[in-house]
Structure formats: structure tokens, C-alpha cells
Amino acid sequence: MTSLIPPGCPTVLTEDDRTGTSVETLRRAFMDNLFFVQGRFPEVATKNDHYLALAYTVRDRLLLRWLNSAKTYRDQFSRTVCYLSAEFLLGPHLGNNLINLGLYDAVAEAMQQTGLDLNVLLDQEEEPGLGNGGLGRLAACYMDSLATLEIPAIGYGIRYEYGIFDQEIRDGWQVEITDKWLRYGNPWEIARPEITLPVKFGGSTYSYTDDQGRYRVVWQPHQMVQGIAYDTPILGYKVNTANLLRLWRAEAIESFDFQAFNTGDYYGAVNEKIASENITKVLYPNDEQLQGKELRLMQQYFLCSCALQDMIRLYLQCSSDLTRFHHKFTVQLNDTHPAISVAELMRLLVDEHLLPWDTAWDITRQTFAYTNHTLLPEALEKWPLPLFGSLLPRHLQIIYEINQRFLDQVRLAYPGDQERLARLSIIDESECRYVRMANLACVGSHAINGVAALHSELLKQTVLRDFYELTPEKFSNKTNGVTPRRWMVLSNPGLTRLISNHIGEDWIKHLDQLRRLEPLAEDAGFAAEWHAVKHKNKVRLAEYIQQRVGISVDPSSIFDILVKRIHEYKRQHLCVLNIITLYQRLKDHPNLDITPHTFIFGGKAAPGYYKAKLIIKLINSVAEVVNTDPTVADRLKVVFLPDYNVTCGQRVYPAADLSEQISTAGYEASGTGNMKFALNGALTIGTLDGANVEIREEVGAENFFLFGNTVEQLQEIWRNGYRPWEIANNNPMLKRVLDLISCGHFSHGDTELFRPIVEHLWQNDRYCLLADYQSYVDCQEQATRLYRDQKQWVKMSILNVARMGKFSSDRAIREYCEDIWRVQPVHVPLADTSYIAQ
Ligand code: OX2
């Protein structure tokens, strides 16, 4: 290629095939990749070849920005946020990268010129499901915002070979299928086999005094594996910043144990290799439920050790003075899953880099901050001491030392208060002994936060109360947010275009700008367009439902949607009670004039959580009866969408009229689906729980359907002795609904099937469905009645969107940057790439 640019000018100004962005260059680069990377000529290329050729074309453009970012950070020794998380639920990369590069339309055009449909290629991508739900998805939104805000950041996580299982529904039951997401390769990652770090497990320790009189401890492990880095660039929206997501895969240090092999134990030798690789084999599919499995602790420690060793390695490339480690890095612990980092950093600094304990402890505490995501007691991580000690003997010693010094301070603050001491201790001494990970995280961090205002308050009053009383200055709230790039621009192009036509595009980076839509809520022409966009999105979802589960739904019925993990506290079965109530009313009065209603569910249950799986079966059983009953035909439909994931979410949120956020008050820490729905113009029916409280505050009480008991009211109910059976016996409709389930109406006469659900509601009802039932049914009726007034509904929908600015993950990340991380943006110039040519 001849260049018109004088020698010495950055070559990036020319349209070369790896960085150019014109339609013609993109088309040529795509054909080049199809030929030279995929090894295909057009006539025989498969859809997957096309997808990969395009992915590599896009990746080249990412790499240009990524390398520039990495070089800028290195040259400036930039302060860097490290987000440590056992889960990153990224969702498909291709569409998102096209949006953030600003190349979506150009690439669509280039594909069209090649005779291809970009949408078909987008559908080819298997999403990396390296997370369970909200917590992992939050990490992904935060990575997007960090890059968009030009904050130097590294996400550290685990490269699970199998992500969250794929869900199939057979005979109404959930069936789990392994998620082989790497089957056809992953074009978005770059393996770094030269970045390999050793991780030790088991064995014992011994101590000695070295020739300089220092007390030293040596850990002699029983097993050693190595972590290999896999890097994925995370590009910000229309900036040059591309940050690093570094996921670790475990491998045996040597492929064979030659000693075992030579003595004839071939299987033993290979087994060792398999055992090592098992560490990163599969994501534990439990959402908010601790499974105290040894392999899970190994995963956690493996992640933390790799991440911290890597940070120290990067640090030492630029400075030998580790006492300033916390000036270069600030580390956020995404829940307690990576909390073992506190002990691991101490070990690395004290044992391996020979820093005095007090110095190391100062660095450690100034390095870490901890986010709590749940108040559920069964999710609070604690590890039995014998298990912990046998896997991490040195860490147990370090934790004892940390604990002893910490409890000495507590004794000074609260002389004689033994009970408080026992509650604050990192070691749970009651019955069996445990290591309490939340206590370790609190003691080892300089900042502690919850994820919504209500949640942060409850944290201070309940699970972390003693820590709050001891160090109130560490506590703050950081209400969650979601990225408008994936959750509007990518998933809802219709609404994005309509909004941008009226208020420009600034809102994509400054979501508060949506306020400028408020006056348009009164504009009939705008409202008509708004309604048309929503209707089109509903038609699209209806087509998908038809194709996926063979149920035909009416796009002008109200789309009432509940998608999230299946859990009793999220109360999917409360929604079912209302459906059966409606069904009953229609059976009683076949001519009843109700708003045509489509209920749509989606979500996975943890494979070992029987009740949650039974709830899925209940939804499908009710769907079967309702959808085939001619009396209710066309007025009531129930759909369970199988395999709910990020990709499915992108179809669902834009098509919702009503968003179900119906958890028992006090149980949902924040929720983020609630934000995605409202941002896409759905109205919310919800309790005063998690971020619902703040969403309602922002959009206005008059634009939100509130029902149910508050946290305080529920506390009162339990204090007075909660008697759900009395509620059921005093509410004829509720009793009929429960009886209808019990008598086998939805289970082909089987009276046993749903007994565990119904009996629990009658007798115990831990999540207070019955206490909230009537209020929910009434509120549902109010919402569906209002839906008939489309003018009013659309106005409320516009006002909801206009007032959702607060819930951008950009706002959340700005708060973390200012209050916790104290980190500044670093502008990345798209500089000279002439070194490529040298
Ligand atoms: C989830 C919480 O349940 C949810 O309320 C919150 O929005 C999300 O985290 C992100 O903060 N595992 N998943 C969660 O907490 C835990 C533990």
C-alpha cells in the first residue's frame, strides 16, 4: 500500500487492514481473515467461519487500543483498580465491541456487501457464561464502565472450562446440560503461556531463624499447580481505553509425574494432572448458597494467589519498593469469594518478600476493599477449620495471627465483652470451628460496602453490626448500576434511535441526560413513536417465544415478565399464585373483561436446590393447564423461556411492559434486572426491597406499582408469631388457589407433587408469600387496569426511562473511584503504531 503520509507520521492515519474502519477496509479485512485465519474460501465457509473471521477483524481493532492502553499505563505507572471476582458474566462480545468501537453500522454494511447478515453472525456466538447471575453480571458491567471512564483496571477471574450449565426443560422439569462454551474456540482471548504462576496446596510448614536473625516460615506443599493467564480486552465506549480481563486456568506443573510413571503407576501419574486441571474445570452453579466443597476453596485460593502474584510481578517490573504496593494497586473483593486474598497477600509480603508483619499488614489493609452482596445466612461463607487447615496450612497460621492482633484491639475497645469478641472473631468457635470469610474480609479491608441503600443499612444493623460499631468510618453504600451500552444501545436499537433523535447521543455516556425526555412525555407524537418501538420489540419476542417453545402469544397483551435465578426468596411462586387467582376468576366468570395478559418467566435453579426446581415444574404445569384451556384462551398465557442467560435477557428487557421485582422485603440486596427493565421502559411492580426502593424514589411513587410488607412490618409480623395458616383460612380465594394446587389440578391428579411447596406455605412460609398475597393481587389488578389506558401507560413508561439516570454503572463506578479507590482517569491517546512496521 502506498502512503500519502510523510515518513515519521503515525501509520494509524492510513487505512490498513488491521486498524482501518471504512466499510471497504472492514470488508477486505474480513475476507482476509476468512482466508488466512479460518483457512476457508467463501463457497465452503460455514456460519461459524464467518463469525470467527469477523471476530478476528474486530479483535484487531481492539488490540490496537489495548496495546496503547497497556503501554500508557506502564509508562505512567498508573494507579490501577483490580476487580477480583470468582464470576464474570460477560455475555456475547461481538455486538458489544462493535457498539463500543462505533463500528456497528459500518460492519453491518460490510457484511451486507459480502452477502451476509450481521444478525446471523451475532447469533453464532456462544456466550461465556462464567457467572451465576447478578453478582457476575455486575462485575461485567463494572468492567465496561471502568474502561468507558478511562480508569486503568484489571479484572481477575477464573477461566472455567464449563460455565453455568445450559438449561433444558423436559416434561416441565429443569435438566442441566454442560456448557461447552470453548468448543469452537474463543477468538476474544489471547493465551499467555509465558505468564505462568505456581500455586501451592496442602502439606505443612516449618519455621527457623535466618542468618540475619529473622523469623521465617516455609510452606512445604503437598501439591503444586500452575495458573496460566488468558487475556481478554475490555474496550470502553468510544474511547481508546481497553482494559485487561485476565482469567486463570489451572494446569499441572509437569504433564507427567515421571517418578510415578517409571515405577509403573501410569494412572497415578495421569491422575495428578487431571486433579490439577479440575480446579478450573467448572463453575459452581450455586447462586447465594455456600457449598462447602474443598474444590471450591481450591478455586478461590487459586484465583487469589494467581492475581496477587501477578500484581506483584507487574509492580516489580517498575519498582523494587513493595512498601508502596497499595499506591499502585487498589483491590476490590467481589463478595467473600476472593477474601482469602487478605491472608495470601500477607503471606506473599511476609514469607516471600520478607517484609515485617506490621508493614505488610498496613499495605494489605490499604489495598483491599470489600463488597457484600447478600444478607442471606446460608450464603455467608465459612470453612470448617480442618478442611481449611489441611489445604492452606500457612494461611491458617496467618489468619490466627491476624485474629489475635485484631481481638487484642477489640478487647481494648470493649473490655470484658466476651460475646462481642466471639462474634467479631475470624474463627467461629461455636460447635464445629470455622473460618468466617466475611470477618476476614472486614478486618483486612479499609472499606466495606453494600449494593443498595436499604441493603447497606441492613448490613450495619444485622450481619456486620459489630464491625460497623467498631469501625463505622469503613462503611458506605454503593448502589449497583448497569451499563447502558449493552442494556440499551445494543439490546434496544429502536428505543436508542428514538431517544437519540430527540436529545442527541450524550445520554449513552451520561445517563442523567435522559431527564431531557421528561417534557416529551406530554408529546403525543413522541408517545406514539415510543409505543411503536415497544410494540415492535414485543413482536420480536413473541416470534422468539413461538420458535423456542411453540406458544403463540399476543403482542398487544400486557407482557408481564419475571426473569432471574429461581430462588424462594425471589418468590416466583407468588407470581404463580396470582396467575392461578386470575385463572380462577376467569373460570368463575367466563365473560369477565380482563386485560389480556402474558406472563413470561425465565431463570435457572441450582441443580441441588430441589424446591427451586419444583417451582419451575409448577410454573410449567400451570402453563400447560392455562394455555390449553379454551375458557381463558387469548386472555391468559404463561410462558417459561428455557435457558435464560445474557443473550436471552437482551431480547426480553426491551419487550417488557411490567417488570416483576417481588422479593420478600429485606432479602434482595439490590437486584439489577429491575434497572434493566425500567431503563427499557417497563413499569415495575415490586416490594420495598433492594434497589427497588431507590428506583421508586427516582421515577416517582406515582410511576411505580408498590405492594407488600416493608422490612419493619415483616419484623413485626415475626415478632408477634407469624401464622400463615390463619391468613389462608381467612382468605377464600387464596385458600382455593392453594387447594387447587394441592388437589392435583395442575399435576394430572397427583396430590403429592407440589406438596413440599404448598405445605411450606401453610405451615412456615419463611418468605411471607401469604402475608403479601392480597396486596400483590390487588396491585396486579391496578396495574393491568391501568394498562388499558395506553396513553397514561406510555407516559409513565417515558417518565421511568427519563428518570433512570442514577442506575448507570458509570455512576456507581465514579462513586467507587472517588470514595474507595481514589483513582483518576488516564487518557489513552491512539498513538503511534509505527512500531508495528519497524
Ligand atoms: C446478588 C444479589 O442477590 C443481588 O441482589 C445483587 O443485585 C447482585 O448480587 C449484585 O450485587 N450472589 N449473588 C448476589 O449476591 C450473592 C452472594
Side-chain angles (χ1 to χ4, degrees), residues 636-681:
L636 196 53
K637 283 275 165 67
V638 182
V639 175
F640 188 93
L641 272 179
D643 202 33
Y644 178 70
N645 57 13
V646 174
T647 311
C648 184
Q650 290 175 197
R651 291 177 190 280
V652 158
Y653 295 116
D657 294 309
L658 194 59
S659 153
E660 297 274 348
Q661 306 301 333
I662 61 177
S663 51
T664 317
Y667 281 92
E668 189 70 89
S670 163
T672 44
N674 46 5
M675 301 169 187
K676 294 164 198 167
F677 275 116
L679 183 60
N680 281 274

Side-chain angles (χ1 to χ4, degrees), residues 502-566:
H502 283 81
I503 64 168
E505 290 189 350
D506 274 5
W507 61 273
I508 299 170
K509 274 199 179 192
H510 304 277
L511 205 63
D512 287 326
Q513 295 271 325
L514 288 176
R515 285 265 174 203
R516 294 172 54 204
L517 292 172
E518 270 193 35
L520 290 162
E522 303 292 344
D523 178 328
F526 183 76
E529 287 187 75
W530 190 273
H531 180 265
V533 168
K534 178 63 81 180
H535 190 76
K536 208 168 147 202
N537 292 339
K538 290 171 71 179
V539 169
R540 230 173 61 100
L541 181 62
E543 285 166 3
Y544 179 71
I545 290 172
Q546 176 67 254
Q547 167 224 322
R548 193 69 211 258
V549 290
I551 300 174
S552 114
V553 302
D554 173 8
S556 46
S557 65
I558 182 169
F559 276 20
D560 182 343
I561 311 189
L562 203 174
V563 287
K564 50 182 82 234
R565 286 297 287 249
I566 313 288

Side-chain angles (χ1 to χ4, degrees), residues 87 132-139 142 286-289 334-337 371-376 379-380 450-452 455 480 569-570 667-675 690-691:
E87 304 187 6
N132 275 287
L135 172 140
R137 183 54 232 175
L138 186 76
Y142 282 180
N286 291 32
D287 192 52
E288 311 208 35
Q289 175 107 350
N334 199 22
D335 214 88
T336 53
H337 315 148
T371 305
N372 173 291
H373 293 265
T374 184
L375 303 165
L376 279 190
L380 288 182
V451 291
H455 168 65
N480 284 168
Y569 85 77
K570 296 179 190 273
Y667 281 92
E668 189 70 89
S670 163
T672 44
N674 46 5
M675 301 169 187

Side-chain angles (χ1 to χ4, degrees), residues 36 127 192-193 235 252 293 313 330 341 359 390 425 430 458 478 491 511 607 661 785 802 813 816-817 832:
F36 287 107
E127 72 167 75
R192 302 284 189 203
L235 178 70
K293 291 279 192 308
R313 184 184 67 84
T330 175
S341 291
T359 312
S390 74
S425 172
S430 61
L458 293 174
K478 297 287 169 282
S491 58
L511 205 63
Q661 306 301 333
R785 209 174 323 112
I813 286 298
Y816 277 98
C817 287
D832 208 346

